[in-house]
C-alpha cells in the first residue's frame, strides 16, 4: 500500500517561492508508469490539479500555473517536489500530493497524501 506524505513550510511570504516535498513509501516513484501529482484546495474553493511528474521524469502542468510551477524528483530519496514561484495570498491553500495509474487533471486521484496547509502572508 503506497503512502504519500507532504512536508514543507506552512507560511510563505508574498513574492517568495513555495517549496513542498512529497515523500513516498510502499512504492518507487520510478516504477510502473505512475503519475505523481500536486493538487491544491484554496479556502472555500474546489480542488485544483497543478501538475504531475511521471515515473520516467516527464512533467505536465496546468496551463494557468505553468509559468510559475516546477515539479522535480529525487529518486534516491523517493521524493518529488513542487516549487511555485512569485506566490501571492491567492496561493494560500491545502496542498496535496497524489499518485495515479494514468494522467488525471481533475479532482479524482487514486492515492492521496493527507495534505499540508500553506499560508501566504507577510
Amino acid at each position: 500500500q503506497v503512502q504519500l506524505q507532504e512536508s514543507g513550510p506552512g507560511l510563505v511570504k508574498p513574492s517568495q517561492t513555495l517549496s513542498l516535498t512529497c515523500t513516498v513509501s510502499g512504492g518507487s516513484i520510478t516504477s510502473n508508469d505512475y503519475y505523481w501529482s500536486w493538487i491544491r484546495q484554496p479556502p472555500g474553493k474546489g480542488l485544483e490539479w497543478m501538475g504531475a511528474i511521471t515515473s520516467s521524469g516527464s512533467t505536465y502542468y496546468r496551463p494557468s500555473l505553468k509559468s510559475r510551477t516546477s515539479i522535480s524528483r529525487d529518486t534516491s530519496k523517493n521524493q518529488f517536489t513542487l516549487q511555485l514561484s512569485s506566490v501571492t495570498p491567492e496561493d494560500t491553500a491545502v496542498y496535496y500530493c497524489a499518485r495515479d495509474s494514468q494522467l488525471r487533471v481533475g479532482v479524482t486521484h487514486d492515492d492521496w497524501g493527507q495534505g499540508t496547509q500553506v499560508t501566504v502572508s507577510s
Side-chain angles (χ1 to χ4, degrees):
Q1 178 74 17
V2 70
Q3 293 185 323
L4 303 97
Q5 179 66 58
E6 305 88 349
S7 61
L11 181 64
V12 182
K13 295 184 184 300
S15 81
Q16 291 187 341
T17 295
L18 179 161
S19 294
L20 295 174
T21 296
C22 183
T23 300
V24 178
S25 58
S28 171
I29 64 170
T30 61
S31 66
N32 295 340
D33 297 325
Y34 284 120
Y35 294 77
W36 305 90
S37 286
W38 286 98
I39 305 105
R40 68 180 181 179
Q41 185 168 28
K45 298 184 179 180
L47 291 163
E48 178 181 66
W49 177 82
M50 301 180 69
I53 188 166
T54 71
S55 57
S56 61
S58 298
T59 52
Y60 300 84
Y61 297 108
R62 187 180 192 87
S64 61
L65 295 172
K66 186 176 182 179
S67 64
R68 298 196 293 131
T69 306
S70 177
I71 298 175
S72 60
R73 62 182 186 167
D74 185 335
T75 58
S76 67
K77 296 181 180 179
N78 215 36
Q79 297 174 332
F80 62 105
T81 63
L82 169 72
Q83 290 193 311
L84 182 66
S85 63
S86 304
V87 297
T88 72
E90 292 184 345
D91 294 308
T92 294
V94 178
Y95 286 77
Y96 300 90
C97 57
R99 183 187 77 166
D100 297 303
S101 57
Q102 57 183 301
L103 182 63
R104 300 185 190 276
V105 301
V107 301
T108 301
H109 297 273
D110 296 341
D111 300 286
W112 292 78
Q114 66 181 25
T116 187
Q117 172 71 45
V118 177
T119 300
V120 179
S121 175
S122 56

